[in-house]
Amino acid sequence: MGEGGAGEGQGAAVDEATGFEVGIVVPKLYRGAAAGCGEVENCVARLVRELEDVGLIVERVRGVPAEFIKLSAPMGTLGRVAAEMNMKKLTYIGMELQFEWDQVGAFVRQPDGSLFSWRERFACFRHLIYSIVNKTDSDITLSFDDKEFHWTQNESLLTRLEDEGIVKLVFPLHDEIKRKQLLRSWALKWFDFTWQPIDEIYSYFGTKIAIYFSFLGMYTRWLFFPAVFGLATQLIDFGSLQWLVLPAFFFFVISWAVFFLQFWKRKNSAVLARWGINYSFSEYKTMGNELDPLSFSMADDNVQQRKFGAPKEKSIVQRNEWFGVLLRIRNNAIIVLAIICLQLPFELAYAHLYAITKTEALRYVLTAVYLAAIQYYTRIGGKVSVTLIKYENNQGEQSSADSLVYKVFGLYFMQSYIGLFYHASLHRNIMALRQVLIKRLIVLENLIENSIPYLNYSYKKYRAVHKKKHEKESPAGKSVRLSTRVEKEYLKPSYTASIGEELEDDFLELTLQFGMIMMFACAFPSIFCFAALNNVTEIRADALKLLVMLKRPAPRDAATIGAWLNIFQFLVVMAICTNCLLLVCLYDEEGKWKIEPGLAAILIMEHALFLIKFGFSHFVPEEPAWVKANRGRYVAQAQNVCSKQLLRSIAKLDAKLE
């Protein structure tokens, strides 16, 4: 479908159109309220007219909580905007080139056959609606509900309406046809366990969410191997070899984790190659300016400027680089001190109370209260981290995102593991450690995670309906219901972490789970069974949340799991250390090893596992051979094209000099 669509030319693409994919929320006027005051135009009516003038398809919906403006776009409109934005798209020779609407057949189509990805379409929508400006020679007076304001020259209309509090929200809308298809083929397909339509998820939600579910599916499948081994260590009596079972399981788990992370890199590169994302050729992105004949100007002043300007620019770049490093060190120190001075005493107090509490019911209550209280603490810590990031000199959006990930994980690392370390090292109470793992990993956190979005939506829905009943225009005694899909979507919570829009918390949950099952594997080998079962349900539960309980997320561009991969690798190293400590506690407690030879054996094991960690990672190539071959072929094609363009530019320059 993709190849045929790409070759049909511009005419077929013009006929395509998106569904209603973006919604704008504005306050609802009472029926009978004036549409405008005299000659002053109503601002919502003006916004609708301007949206139609730029080529969008507009539908207004009057709902219970507000009024909604739904937007759709013909493919020709999106193509024109993509060209205006100088959007780079992948071509069939493997290079990313600036999009041209009259050369649409040269650009690679998406897995679902569409010309633009969801991220590209959403970017075009935002560019269109925010680029509506006052192009007249004077200010325009607009009104809304007896309130007047001026729309100044060259000012964005939507931005002005947001500043005035008239536009409440601009958000992506679900496509009902595709949403229901994904419900049937993904969210409700429980009997397929870990299978997922990753290409369809990518087409509908974008790269970041598709990468998350691809990782979650592979992680869950790989969990079945240590789950079977761990269950066997608990159920089978190995007789005289029983003392070797836990060390063997420990070796297996570390090797499993190393190979899993390496094979994930392979899968990640293969998936991106299938989507046409990893062939970005960043080295050629700026070549357009370099190949311009004017850039080969031999004027003496330009030569002198390049000659003497380079060292100064280099000095500025180096100064900014080291200044950014110092800022990050300062901010990380603030986070570490906050953890030590504020969070550590709180976590130790909870662990101590849990240890001295005798009744299981009270322990469950104590854990529930703790999890509820810690939500506020981590939310505050997360917001502080977000604020600190703004004062760092990070190079680009991805660098800022990675810095935030490390800071937030530090907060959650202390929250999630300090109590477990307390039970394992100070009390050596392995049974209590196992109970805490089950309660926090499986039961309570999943209940909180999956119930909060539903309760949030139910509360907002109740408030909207209750408010509607007390409006003047609402008939007395008549029931009020949310009748349209768009108003139901508006009331749903957003797909964000509790600290804000800067961080989705799905990978945070996976890293915390990975740390728990890895760092305490020897104390509770069968925990891998609980983790595997939990993740099987997590796949479908997260899919249902995205498709039913949450707004459609705004697409985010993320080709890999980024800083989370470094955290997974850090947790593998931590697991080597903590499990060696657990083996000392277990064998010393049971009296099967003397502590001196036991320590020596465990130290040897620790060094061997570190060798496995850093040695085995080089055995598995990070990219499949076909991905490397494709990239090599594309690089050769790109070099051929660029060489021809460069030769033409040199020839033109030589002709001018003659």
Side-chain angles (χ1 to χ4, degrees), residues 129-197:
I129 62 180
Y130 279 97
S131 62
I132 296 174
V133 297
N134 181 4
K135 298 180 180 179
T136 64
D137 297 331
S138 60
D139 295 350
I140 299 175
T141 303
L142 300 174
S143 70
F144 184 84
D145 196 18
D146 298 330
K147 175 184 178 181
E148 295 187 4
F149 58 92
H150 295 287
W151 180 23
T152 60
Q153 297 179 54
N154 298 318
E155 182 184 25
S156 170
L157 177 58
L158 196 66
T159 302
R160 183 54 192 257
L161 294 181
E162 287 177 334
D163 294 339
E164 295 290 336
I166 296 170
V167 170
K168 297 181 178 180
L169 184 66
V170 178
F171 68 104
L173 296 176
H174 278 291
D175 184 311
E176 277 304 289
I177 296 177
K178 294 179 180 178
R179 187 184 74 89
K180 290 179 179 178
Q181 288 175 347
L182 281 173
L183 271 174
R184 291 190 296 269
S185 64
W186 178 35
L188 301 178
K189 213 166 185 178
W190 289 87
F191 57 86
D192 278 343
F193 293 105
T194 61
W195 181 88
Q196 300 174 92

Side-chain angles (χ1 to χ4, degrees), residues 1-8 89-97 103-110 113-115 279 281 630 633-634 637-638 641:
M1 184 175 181
E3 294 179 0
E8 289 172 358
K89 283 185 64 64
L90 186 70
T91 61
Y92 282 100
I93 65 168
M95 288 183 64
E96 282 188 348
L97 298 178
Q103 301 294 331
V104 64
F107 296 94
V108 175
R109 294 232 165 190
Q110 301 300 307
S114 59
L115 179 60
Y279 307 128
F281 293 100
N630 281 350
R633 185 173 71 251
Y634 289 149
Q637 292 173 345
V641 172

